[in-house]
């Protein structure tokens, strides 16, 4: 289990990237949601021992990470946000490199590389230089290397960026399919990816943890408060001032709005099923107001 | 049309200059320039002659200070300016701006001329800073009245046209694939050593009238000009002066001086500097031919991808090369899901660091052009054969052997510094072990390439030469590691290492002779000093890399 107690990271005297985050994460897939600059990557970097917390404590199965970083490193798989590789290496050589970094023996590295390259569909290009890979192929290399050490703690930061829709779905499935006894932390600002994958969702806003709950429970919080209506332009403006707007589509008859409201905002409003995106917007909006 | 293009050139130049002004690299360069200004006025650096059996420098009058500063500025611009000015195109590629340019209706020549404008502005800035430093220092240390115009004008006349030329060369090199990386930097440096160091400059004695036209044409440093301007003053002060050609560097001093009070500059020099500027512009326009504005700018470290000068990478740019960037190779429906597979359990081993060393060696040695491997083998084995058959030529072989591994060393630190890689390493089981493995791999490659040369040198000069091996094996990979990790680029290492190599092993300045080529450096254990400094720097970086410090 991964525990965070009042974890914070200060960059300058009064500038905190993350502050006061307390979380307990058991086995399962945990989504970390937040807008750009909310502090997701800062938190990820502390979880993966890339940077040290300024305050607070991170524990892995009871051991304090700051006292022994190797307790986390020996069980960690990490896909950084700006994942990069050595361009002159072939894919297979790069996987051997990661295997050495993870302390795997040569046979295990070779066997797991075979298997994982099949999973990400790159077996046929294993002897190609990495600088000939497209952005999507690069990202698939990233997930393969993160899984190479059979990690108990898998941290993936924005793994679906740059992937086409089909690959995005496969990436999500790969994360969801990983055996259930490991902790997977999946950071993104794409709510749909989390909704399709995560057991629990933590929402960060402006460096602070706004909420952490099961995905369904988070959606339940706004169930019955999501409406869809089609209104003329001036009414749309007035509704925007009073409600959280989740979506706007321009139609021939006006604007079709999806919004959060305690009561039907117009006479012809119809309630619709809530999604995680609605829940996320509601959570962030409540946190900032 | 012309007005619109001029406006585009201006804005491309302005934007590029602003990006440079906000980087530490330009600031560091200007600080070096200021230091040069100080050295000139302290009398430790400048023009000097050998006359009447001693070394004679010009008394630091305002004209002499201006001339010294102009030659110093030319030297800084020729050697340092190139390294500073390179990268204006790759900077745009790195940050994704090049795709915006590629998709716009800005012509390639206009875009490159804008970059040249920025390079020229750097030259102006350099000249301005050096001139200001020279004026300020002259006011404190100089002889006679401080005339700012007399001091500053030679600096601008000599340095700015040269900046246009060097800027043009830098742009041209950046548009030709095989010259983008380390090879281009070495080709440039070696060319300049030949041009500046004496290919056309007269050796021995020569009166100004005896100097050949080609020497004036290639007088990039300004030594021929200085000789012509100050010759009469030296002859007036030292009647037995044997017309030896003027030198420039640290050899002089202010114990013996001649008095140069200025004079009319020869017309040929203005014409030559005009030609420099025109050549710089012409090279820039020419560069629009090889410049591939739509070259691969896929996300990631383009700056690292372009410089790979392997035969394969060159061939891959030809229509014959198969370059598949389409993404999926195995159809999605044919791939197993993680849950469907019984994955091999992850077994760890205890020999992680030695395996890291092996993979680091492979990484550093991978992807070089065939001729590099051929040269490395020749340098490793050839000297042993020469030593076995009688020896000779050890110094010359060592000079080359100390440069050859630069292609490998320049990957140390700089490639690893990229955020996406460094984070993987820091989060791995061996964040510090990787650092030492990378450093050690560089040292082992240095040992392999230079070991033969040292064997030959020991045969030639005795066992004392072995001290130099320590400097060559330890210092360069240490410098590469620190400079590469700090800047994320190869350029600082290459510029500083090649500069030290030029001053020390090549020109015999003992304080910079980390390879122990000179007897003084061996006697003073200079190579050991360089090795120790390198080691301390590596330990400092390792301490920074460790999660809670090396001692934690």
């Amino acid at each position: 289990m991964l525990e965070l107690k009042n974890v914070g990271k200060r960059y300058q005297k009064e500038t905190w990237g993350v502050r006061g985050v307390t979380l307990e994460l058991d086995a399962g897939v945990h989504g970390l949601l937040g807008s750009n600059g909310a502090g997701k990557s800062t938190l990820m970097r502390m979880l993966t021992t890339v940077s040290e917390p300024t305050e607070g404590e991170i524990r892995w199965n009871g051991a304090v990470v700051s006292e022994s970083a190797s307790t986390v490193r020996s069980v960690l798989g990490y896909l950084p946000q700006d994942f990069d590789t050595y361009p002159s290496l072939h894919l297979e050589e790069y996987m051997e490199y990661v295997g050495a970094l993870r302390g795997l023996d040569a046979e295990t590295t070779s066997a797991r590389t075979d298997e994982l390259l099949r999973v990400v569909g790159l077996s046929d290009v294993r002897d190609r230089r990495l600088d000939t890979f497209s952005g999507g192929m690069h990202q698939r290399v990233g997930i393969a290397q993160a899984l190479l050490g059979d990690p108990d703690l898998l941290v993936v930061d924005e793994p679906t960026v740059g992937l086409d829709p089909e690959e995005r779905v496969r990436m999500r499935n790969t994360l969801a399919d990983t055996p259930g006894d490991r902790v997977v932390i999946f950071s993104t600002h794409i709510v749909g990816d989390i909704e399709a994958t995560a057991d629990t969702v933590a929402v960060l806003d402006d460096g602070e943890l706004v909420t952490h709950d099961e995905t369904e429970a988070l959606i339940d919080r706004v169930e019955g408060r999501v409406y869809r209506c089609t209104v003329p332009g001036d009414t749309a403006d007035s509704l925007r001032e009073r409600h959280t707007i989740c979506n706007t589509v321009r139609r021939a008859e006006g604007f079709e709005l999806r919004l959060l409201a305690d009561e039907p905002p117009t006479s012809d409003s119809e309630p619709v099923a809530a999604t995680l995106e609605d829940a996320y917007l509601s959570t962030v909006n409540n946190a900032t107001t | 049309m012309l007005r619109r293009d001029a406006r585009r050139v201006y804005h491309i130049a302005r934007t590029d200059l602003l990006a440079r002004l906000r980087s530490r690299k330009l600031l560091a360069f200007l600080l070096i320039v200021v230091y040069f200004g100080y050295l000139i006025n302290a009398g430790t650096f400048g023009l000097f002659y050998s006359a009447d059996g001693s070394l004679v420098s010009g008394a630091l009058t305002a004209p002499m200070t201006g001339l010294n500063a102009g030659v110093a500025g030319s030297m800084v611009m020729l050697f340092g300016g190139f390294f500073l000015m390179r990268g204006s195109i790759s900077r745009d590629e790195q940050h994704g701006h090049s795709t915006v340019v590629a998709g716009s209706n800005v012509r390639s020549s206009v875009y490159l001329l804008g970059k040249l404008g920025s390079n020229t502005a750097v030259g102006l800035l350099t000249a301005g800073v050096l001139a200001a430093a020279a004026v300020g220092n002259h006011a404190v240390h100089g002889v006679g009245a401080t005339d700012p115009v007399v001091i500053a004008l030679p600096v601008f006349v000599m340095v700015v046209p040269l900046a246009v030329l060097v800027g043009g060369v830098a742009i041209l090199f950046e548009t030709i694939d095989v010259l983008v990386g380390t090879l281009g930097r070495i080709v440039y440096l070696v060319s300049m050593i030949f041009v500046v160091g004496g290919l056309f400059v007269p050796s021995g004695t020569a009166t100004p009238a005896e100097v050949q036209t080609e020497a004036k044409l290639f007088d990039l440093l300004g030594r021929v000009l200085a000789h012509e301007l100050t010759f009469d003053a030296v002859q007036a002060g030292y009647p037995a002066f044997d017309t030896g050609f003027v030198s420039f560097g640290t050899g002089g001093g202010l114990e013996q001086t001649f008095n140069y009070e200025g004079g009319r500059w020869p017309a040929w020099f203005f014409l030559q500097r005009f030609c420099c500027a025109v050549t710089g512009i012409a090279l820039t326009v020419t560069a629009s031919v090889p410049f591939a504005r739509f070259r691969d700018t896929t996300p990631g470290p383009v700056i690292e991808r372009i410089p790979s000068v392997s035969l394969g990478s060159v061939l891959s740019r030809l229509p014959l090369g198969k370059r598949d960037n389409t993404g999926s190779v195995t159809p999605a429906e044919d791939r197993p899901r993680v849950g469907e597979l019984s994955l091999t359990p992850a077994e760890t081993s205890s020999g992680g660091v030695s395996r890291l060393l092996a993979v680091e060696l492979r990484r550093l040695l991978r992807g070089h052009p065939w001729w590099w491997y051929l040269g490395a083998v020749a340098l490793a084995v050839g000297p042993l054969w020469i030593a076995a058959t009688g020896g000779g030529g050890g110094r010359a072989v060592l000079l080359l052997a100390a440069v050859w591994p630069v292609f490998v060393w320049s990957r140390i630190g700089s490639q690893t510094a990229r955020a996406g890689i460094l984070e993987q390493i820091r989060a791995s089981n061996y964040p510090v072990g990787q650092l030492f493995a990378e450093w050690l791999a560089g040292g082992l490659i240095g040992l392999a390439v230079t070991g033969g040369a040292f064997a030959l040198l020991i045969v030639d000069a005795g066992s004392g030469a072995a001290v130099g091996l320590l400097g060559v094996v330890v210092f360069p990979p240490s410098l590469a590691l620190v400079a590469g990790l700090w800047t994320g680029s190869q350029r600082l290492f290459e510029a500083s290492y090649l500069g030290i190599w030029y001053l020390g092993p090549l020109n015999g300045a003992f304080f910079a002779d980390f390879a122990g080529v000179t007897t003084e450096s061996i006697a003073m254990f200079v190579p050991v000093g360089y090795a120790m400094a390198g080691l301390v720097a590596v330990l400092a970086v390792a301490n920074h890399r460790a999660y809670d410090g090396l001692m934690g």
Side-chain angles (χ1 to χ4, degrees), chain B residues 125-488:
Chain B
L125 199 61
T126 305
V129 168
L130 182 60
V135 169
N137 280 309
H138 185 270
V140 179
H141 302 288
V143 174
T146 299
D147 185 338
V149 176
V150 169
I151 295 172
L153 202 57
V155 181
F156 282 96
V157 170
M158 294 175 81
V159 173
V160 177
L162 211 51
V164 182
L165 175 65
V166 174
V169 175
I171 287 169
L172 182 65
F173 273 40
E174 221 180 338
T175 57
I176 299 172
D177 276 6
V178 292
L179 294 177
V180 168
T182 304
L183 178 66
R185 290 188 271 270
I186 291 178
V187 165
Y188 177 85
L189 186 79
V190 171
S191 307
M192 280 306 116
I193 287 169
F194 275 109
V195 171
V196 172
L199 193 62
F200 302 104
V201 176
S203 56
T205 60
T207 62
E210 290 167 354
V211 176
Q212 300 294 313
T213 306
E214 60 266 28
K216 294 176 178 173
L217 189 65
F218 288 96
D219 183 29
L220 300 182
L221 204 60
R223 274 176 67 198
V224 176
L225 169 76
H227 188 71
E228 190 166 327
L229 290 175
T230 57
F231 185 83
D232 290 342
V234 182
Q235 232 173 15
Y238 300 86
F241 171 49
D242 64 355
T243 71
F245 206 77
V246 70
S247 299
F248 182 75
T250 55
L254 293 174
E255 293 81 26
Q256 303 280 334
T257 58
F258 62 89
N259 206 37
Y260 170 64
E261 292 293 353
R264 193 180 173 82
W265 282 30
W268 66 260
F269 187 78
F270 292 106
L271 183 64
Q272 186 248 35
R273 278 311 200 242
F274 176 73
C275 289
C276 281
V278 171
T279 305
I281 294 167
L283 287 175
T284 305
V285 174
T286 306
S288 63
V289 177
F291 175 51
R293 62 191 280 166
F294 292 105
R295 70 182 170 190
D296 186 2
T297 54
T298 47
V302 176
I303 192 168
E304 290 300 331
R305 293 175 190 181
I306 295 162
S308 57
V309 290
S310 66
L311 187 63
S313 78
V314 175
L315 288 176
S316 72
R317 291 181 186 283
L318 298 175
L320 299 170
K322 285 194 288 182
R323 187 173 172 82
D324 178 13
N325 273 348
T326 52
S328 180
V329 177
T330 306
E333 62 272 17
D334 294 345
R335 292 186 225 158
R337 294 176 65 161
V338 173
E340 296 167 4
L341 280 178
S342 172
L343 290 172
T344 305
E347 298 290 340
T348 54
S349 69
S350 54
V353 176
S354 59
R355 284 192 61 221
L356 265 178
L357 177 62
V359 291
E360 285 294 350
L361 273 170
R362 181 167 62 189
R363 175 175 75 79
L364 295 179
L365 287 169
R366 259 257 174 227
H368 297 288
W370 62 268
W371 51 261
W372 185 86
Y373 299 109
L374 192 67
V377 170
L379 284 166
V381 178
L384 297 174
W385 180 75
I386 299 172
T389 56
R395 184 175 181 272
V397 176
L398 178 59
L399 286 176
L400 186 59
V403 168
W404 206 255
V406 167
F407 290 86
V408 169
W409 288 331
S410 61
R411 287 182 178 178
I412 299 173
S414 60
Q415 284 190 339
T416 312
R418 297 201 303 260
I421 291 177
L422 197 56
E423 287 196 14
Q424 291 173 60
I425 291 168
R426 292 182 82 119
S428 76
N429 292 20
Y430 302 104
V432 179
Q434 184 280 334
L435 185 137
F436 283 117
E438 188 175 12
W439 173 72
L440 194 57
L444 288 176
I445 292 167
L447 179 65
V449 176
T450 61
F454 273 101
L456 190 55
L457 205 62
I458 289 166
V459 170
D460 291 349
S463 58
V467 173
L469 186 61
L470 192 65
V472 169
V473 170
V474 176
F475 172 64
S478 309
L479 179 64
L481 189 75
V482 175
L485 284 174
W486 183 41
T487 64

Side-chain angles (χ1 to χ4, degrees), chain B residues 509-544:
Chain B
F510 76 92
F511 58 85
D513 182 15
F514 65 91
V517 170
T518 60
T519 49
E520 291 153 289
S521 79
I522 291 173
M524 298 177 73
F525 290 97
V526 171
V528 179
Y530 273 90
M532 289 301 111
L535 201 56
V536 168
V538 169
L539 286 172
V541 174
N543 188 55
H544 185 253

Side-chain angles (χ1 to χ4, degrees), chain A residues 51 55 59 81 114 152 168 287:
Chain A
S51 71
E55 64 178 22
R59 286 174 180 265
Q81 185 177 19
D114 284 347
D152 292 338
R168 236 179 87 193

